[in-house]
Amino acid sequence: MINTVILSWVTFIYLAAFVLYFIRIIRNEALWGRLATITVSLGFAAQTVALILRWVESYHMGIGHVPLSNFYESLIFFSWTIVLLYLVFEWRIKNKSLGTFVVPVAFIAMAFASLSPNINNRIQPLIPALQSNWLTSHVMTCFMGYAAFAMAFGLGCMYIIKSLDRKSSSRSGSFLGLLPDLDTIDELIYQSIALGFIFLSLGIITGSVWAHYAWGSYWSWDPKETWSLITWLVYAALLHARLVRGWRGKRIALMSLAGFACVLFTYLGVNYLPGLHTYLKT
Amino acid sequence: MWSFFASVKLAIALLIIISCASILGTIIPQQEAAQTLSGRLSPGMMSFLGKLQLFDIFHSIWFVSLLVLLSVNLVVCSLNRLPASWKRVHAVFVPDDPDIFKDLPANQVILAEGTREGETARIENLLKKGFKKVVRKDTDQASFLAGEKGKYSSFGVYLIHASVLVILAGVIIGFFLGFNAYVEIAEGESANAVQIRGGKGLKKLDFTVRCDRFTIDYYEDGTPKLYQSDISFLRNDALLYKTPVIVNHPATFEGIWFYQAHYGRAPSGEAVIMLRKGREKAQVMNVRVGKEFDLPGKEGKATVIRVEANLMRMGPAVKINIAAASGNIPFWVFQNIEQIEEENPGLMDHVPMFNPGLFAPYVFSLAMVHTKYFTGLQVAKDPGVPVVVAGSLLLVVGFMTVFFYAHRRIWIRIDREGTHTRISITGKTNKDPVGFHREISRLIQEIQEAEEKRS
């Protein structure tokens, strides 16, 4: 299948983009940054084409459905949303240093999907439980949320690295000097988390509606539901700490890392717990 | 007390505590699954954990208490802050506050060539493009322009808090007025009561549900494609409604929802048995529950009284009663009798009921038990659902106002500075300072560009 071949190439394109972003930070030459952006954009375009091809191919097989139905497809879509959101960020804040922290997350998701022997990359027919119009909206909103939180995670790492050494950050031209100033990173962390929070809420709401039609109850304390609520509560605590208690900087950065750990557990960890969301098991 | 509940620290603490309790709820096996622990933990430990309600955390008194506490906290916090927000929104918007123009950075002050009046009119038009409300005030020394937008965005947070309460109210309504049950109905059979989940007894329906047919369909590769039950709703034997129930497409009848949950095969009541008298040749017979037949030698009448697919984990079996001159002689006939004898030597001597040759000289054996599909339906009623939906919609609207709108205010003073007209610009926002800074920079740029074009 041509789409999986393209997707395994995209994995390496993202790796190359990460390396270029890294070189740019070390050598501080604009050329590398431009190359990195071109590379990651190319990878994104190729990934988009592959996703569309996969979609079309499923219709040729007579089992047409949106490519969001198993673990392989979810990993591909996860990395796609991360790169999409990253490109929007890079374009908006006109700073390429976030690429060093976020593009590797997209690369790891792709590498996991393409290289892990336990993950089936074939197009599979939709089992009855997934034959719902809510599949697309639920998965899309959830993964947009995950991607925004991944962005906050990258920014949180950036903040902590930069704040570890305040002195050298003032030296222009050094690695840390290229990063946006701490206040800007802090504000961007907040904005990504706010965006992620909205999408996570939409993901939980669409999921509840779906569960109401599929399982006969909009909430059944299934581990994935519970963990999505835990993630929601952690980010809700973070938002209150920042908006009302005035927490800024390092504490928020650390909380954004903890929040992303919850996101990863909601996405991957719960597969090791028994529950209803077993479609993603490899 | 009021100040305790009015604290956001309490809210944050509660959010974290509820998260931790929920984590416990996903690690400790809950409800029926808790039985798996009984092998590994001592009975004392089990009953201790049970008393702490750790096997049903999400319905435990202490978890619900945490939710109640959070709700009270939410209400008190909101009530505590509402008057201040109200005042802020309804405050008189003063365009010529002198303090606000003190110590402006150089890039927020522009020197222009036009007249004070001309510049003011031009900037007023620019400002009106980005701000809904623009006020102007002229004094002897200067003209003042001020723009304001999104002043109601600070109420979004109350919308969010209210929506959380609405959702919780919906949950409570569902808890008291709804139920969650299941029922298994074999093809062709009916039910008028359902089993409440959690072993909480039967619930009688005021109508009858009949399963007409159960269908499974597969894809070419063997993956299930469709589970469908065709069901009918009847009252006093009159058919009221007939509908398919498919996974993801439940049926509703009189406010009660029916979902395709599982399926299985159950004995249809028909079986094939073999009957041998002494050393004669065995005779094959199709039998069904309740149907009487004569023994070949007329020694009595036999009736199959039960057909089981798996009796006491020993496989398919039928119970036969023989009415003979000596009275009734009931006994079981297992399909896997040889294997059962091998595994339990002497069983037939201890339990004569398990001896297929109890009515000598006849020996019965079971060739097969016919089965048919039964469907497992989830049956639920939840009048809280519309309330939860309303709360969710309110939540989304609340997020939009909180995160996408900010209360932005901008002040501009136009006065004379020597031979030039001096334009001073400043502003305030309640959130997203970066975005606001960008907006102000853009405004300054627009003013300057127009200035350059003219000169």
Side-chain angles (χ1 to χ4, degrees):
Chain A
M1 290 188 294
I2 184 77
N3 67 77
T4 53
V5 178
I6 299 176
L7 289 170
S8 48
W9 275 100
V10 170
T11 312
F12 294 104
I13 298 176
Y14 287 161
L15 177 63
F18 162 58
V19 170
L20 289 167
Y21 276 116
F22 196 69
I23 296 176
R24 173 200 165 260
I25 271 203
I26 294 200
R27 305 203 43 167
N28 189 18
E29 289 167 1
L31 169 73
W32 298 104
R34 235 175 295 144
L35 275 178
T37 304
I38 292 169
T39 312
V40 79
S41 308
L42 271 178
F44 182 72
Q47 193 178 9
T48 310
V49 169
L51 276 171
I52 294 169
L53 282 178
R54 193 176 172 89
W55 202 340
V56 170
E57 201 165 312
S58 74
Y59 277 91
H60 286 310
M61 291 166 70
I63 49 169
H65 60 78
V66 60
L68 300 172
S69 72
N70 59 18
F71 189 44
Y72 175 80
E73 290 169 350
S74 83
L75 280 167
I76 302 294
F77 189 67
F78 182 42
S79 90
W80 186 83
T81 46
I82 288 176
V83 175
L84 170 70
L85 219 57
Y86 169 70
L87 285 172
V88 172
F89 256 70
E90 187 187 295
W91 172 68
R92 274 201 57 188
I93 66 172
K94 309 271 183 279
N95 187 309
K96 295 178 194 288
S97 17
L98 184 58
T100 322
F101 299 90
V102 170
V103 172
V105 181
F107 160 68
I108 290 167
M110 289 298 287
F112 190 30
S114 305
L115 303 176
S116 169
N118 300 326
I119 296 175
N120 184 352
N121 65 9
R122 287 212 324 273
I123 299 176
Q124 292 160 309
L126 274 189
I127 57 167
L130 294 179
Q131 293 166 11
S132 168
N133 292 332
W134 292 96
L135 170 68
T136 315
S137 51
H138 175 56
V139 176
M140 282 196 173
T141 47
C142 286
F143 278 92
M144 281 306 287
Y146 292 178
F149 291 137
M151 217 62 60
F153 164 79
L155 288 158
C157 294
M158 207 154 108
Y159 189 98
I160 287 163
I161 290 174
K162 181 146 178 158
S163 65
L164 281 180
D165 192 351
R166 278 170 188 276
K167 271 184 194 147
S168 63
S169 66
S170 55
R171 258 188 282 136
S172 65
S174 81
F175 156 55
L176 295 168
L178 278 176
L179 305 182
D181 61 88
L182 287 175
D183 288 344
T184 309
I185 304 177
D186 180 68
E187 183 63 25
L188 288 171
I189 291 178
Y190 164 70
Q191 287 185 359
S192 325
I193 287 174
L195 188 71
F197 196 64
I198 294 173
F199 275 109
L200 178 64
S201 307
L202 287 172
I204 294 176
I205 291 171
T206 51
S208 300
V209 176
W210 188 5
H212 171 68
Y213 285 105
W215 298 334
S217 171
Y218 58 82
W219 195 265
S220 12
W221 295 107
D222 155 73
K224 200 158 196 119
E225 286 176 349
T226 310
W227 269 95
S228 70
L229 179 71
I230 293 165
T231 309
W232 194 86
L233 291 172
V234 167
Y235 282 112
L238 185 156
L239 288 170
H240 282 87
R242 193 192 141 101
L243 290 173
V244 191
R245 303 281 313 161
W247 283 27
R248 288 286 184 284
K250 210 163 182 177
R251 285 198 277 190
I252 292 291
L254 285 172
M255 278 182 92
S256 78
L257 304 195
F260 193 59
C262 289
V263 169
L264 287 183
F265 198 83
T266 306
Y267 178 23
L268 305 168
V270 290
N271 292 348
Y272 302 101
L273 300 170
L276 297 163
H277 266 91
T278 47
Y279 328 114
L280 290 177
K281 282 190 183 161
T282 50
Chain B
M1 195 65 179
W2 182 266
S3 63
F4 171 73
F5 279 114
S7 113
V8 179
K9 262 189 203 157
L10 177 69
I12 295 171
L14 281 173
L15 291 173
I16 300 294
I17 293 169
I18 294 171
S19 305
C20 293
S22 306
I23 293 174
L24 271 186
T26 61
I27 296 171
I28 302 173
Q30 297 285 297
Q31 297 182 333
E32 288 89 356
Q35 294 304 320
T36 56
L37 281 181
S38 54
R40 281 187 283 158
L41 296 175
S42 71
M45 192 65 183
M46 282 295 282
S47 83
F48 175 68
L49 296 179
K51 282 220 178 73
L52 290 178
Q53 295 178 299
L54 286 177
F55 298 132
D56 198 5
I57 287 179
F58 301 116
H59 306 97
S60 69
I61 293 173
W62 57 270
F63 190 80
V64 173
S65 310
L66 285 173
L67 293 180
V68 170
L69 234 88
L70 184 70
S71 311
V72 173
N73 181 220
L74 207 78
V75 172
V76 174
C77 262
S78 304
L79 288 180
N80 220 27
R81 283 155 191 275
L82 196 57
S85 305
W86 189 261
K87 225 190 252 167
R88 217 172 17 248
V89 166
H90 290 93
V92 184
F93 187 40
V94 186
D96 57 339
D97 180 358
D99 290 342
I100 213 150
F101 295 103
K102 271 184 192 155
D103 307 322
L104 285 189
N107 63 345
Q108 284 175 235
V109 179
I110 305 163
L111 292 179
E113 300 299 328
T115 62
R116 190 180 118 188
E117 178 52 39
E119 293 294 336
T120 308
R122 200 164 56 83
I123 294 167
E124 191 174 3
N125 283 333
L126 275 179
L127 205 56
K128 273 181 180 160
K129 272 191 273 173
F131 285 81
K132 221 173 78 187
K133 183 180 159 196
V134 175
V135 287
R136 177 175 172 172
K137 185 170 178 182
D138 295 287
T139 65
D140 292 343
Q141 285 81 34
S143 297
F144 295 92
L145 287 169
E148 182 180 33
K149 66 178 168 189
K151 84 175 176 183
Y152 291 102
S153 74
S154 49
F155 284 120
V157 62
Y158 302 108
L159 230 53
I160 293 177
H161 287 174
S163 72
V164 172
L165 293 175
V166 172
I167 291 172
L168 287 175
V171 173
I172 292 168
I173 292 172
F175 182 78
F176 285 108
L177 302 178
F179 66 85
N180 198 337
Y182 65 93
V183 64
E184 286 176 355
I185 313 173
E187 281 182 315
E189 287 172 21
S190 324
N192 53 15
V194 293
Q195 202 81 37
I196 302 282
R197 284 204 190 273
K200 290 180 193 135
L202 277 180
K203 175 168 179 73
K204 248 189 93 48
L205 304 173
D206 48 7
F207 51 84
T208 301
V209 195
R210 187 178 68 206
C211 172
D212 299 320
R213 211 165 95 93
F214 178 80
T215 323
I216 313 183
D217 199 1
Y218 296 94
Y219 292 103
E220 278 170 23
D221 68 349
T223 314
K225 184 179 185 179
L226 173 80
Y227 300 121
Q228 175 173 340
S229 305
D230 293 303
I231 61 173
S232 301
F233 296 96
L234 311 103
R235 186 177 282 131
N236 305 327
D237 293 329
L239 179 67
L240 300 174
Y241 179 48
K242 213 171 150 63
T243 179
V245 176
I246 306 171
V247 179
N248 273 310
H249 300 277
T252 48
F253 188 72
E254 299 192 347
I256 299 178
W257 292 60
F258 292 81
Y259 301 84
Q260 182 64 57
H262 65 278
Y263 72 97
R265 292 195 74 96
S268 62
E270 291 173 16
V272 181
I273 59 169
M274 286 189 295
L275 182 54
R276 186 160 51 83
K277 186 183 181 185
R279 293 178 176 276
E280 286 174 23
K281 204 168 157 259
Q283 191 179 337
V284 178
M285 297 181 76
N286 289 306
V287 294
R288 59 188 290 195
V289 169
K291 213 179 144 205
E292 205 177 59
F293 57 93
D294 283 324
L295 291 177
K298 308 283 183 205
E299 293 89 344
K301 289 180 185 300
T303 319
V304 173
I305 50 180
R306 271 171 73 185
V307 178
E308 294 291 331
N310 193 358
L311 185 77
M312 295 168 73
R313 295 192 192 153
M314 294 193 287
V318 294
K319 192 177 188 184
I320 294 175
N321 182 55
I322 293 181
S326 53
N328 282 327
I329 301 158
F331 56 90
W332 285 95
V333 180
F334 287 94
Q335 186 169 354
N336 311 323
I337 188 71
E338 278 149 25
Q339 194 195 336
I340 294 167
E341 272 191 291
E342 220 168 85
E343 285 167 9
N344 311 280
L347 178 70
M348 283 186 203
D349 298 328
H350 292 122
V351 192
M353 271 272 259
F354 287 174
N355 184 357
L358 194 62
F359 190 71
Y362 288 97
V363 178
F364 288 82
S365 60
L366 176 58
M368 74 171 293
V369 164
H370 284 290
T371 59
K372 61 179 174 183
Y373 280 118
F374 69 84
T375 182
L377 299 173
Q378 160 106 337
V379 185
K381 181 182 168 178
D382 191 347
V385 165
V387 182
V388 174
V389 170
S392 307
L393 291 176
L394 201 62
L395 186 72
V396 175
V397 174
F399 281 143
M400 296 297 168
T401 44
V402 163
F403 291 121
F404 295 142
Y405 292 98
H407 186 193
R408 289 179 173 181
R409 283 173 295 175
I410 220 161
W411 288 270
I412 301 172
R413 182 182 63 192
I414 303 111
D415 57 2
R416 297 295 292 179
E417 163 87 359
T419 56
H420 295 285
T421 299
R422 184 176 65 174
I423 305 163
S424 317
I425 302 164
T426 185
K428 270 186 188 168
T429 182
N430 64 343
K431 56 202 155 204
D432 187 20
V434 175
F436 186 51
H437 193 74
R438 214 179 291 138
E439 183 166 9
I440 289 201
S441 307
R442 204 163 42 229
L443 185 70
I444 292 173
Q445 208 181 339
E446 277 174 344
I447 295 174
Q448 277 171 335
E449 269 169 19
E451 190 60 36
E452 279 160 20
K453 237 180 266 167
R454 244 176 15 165
S455 61

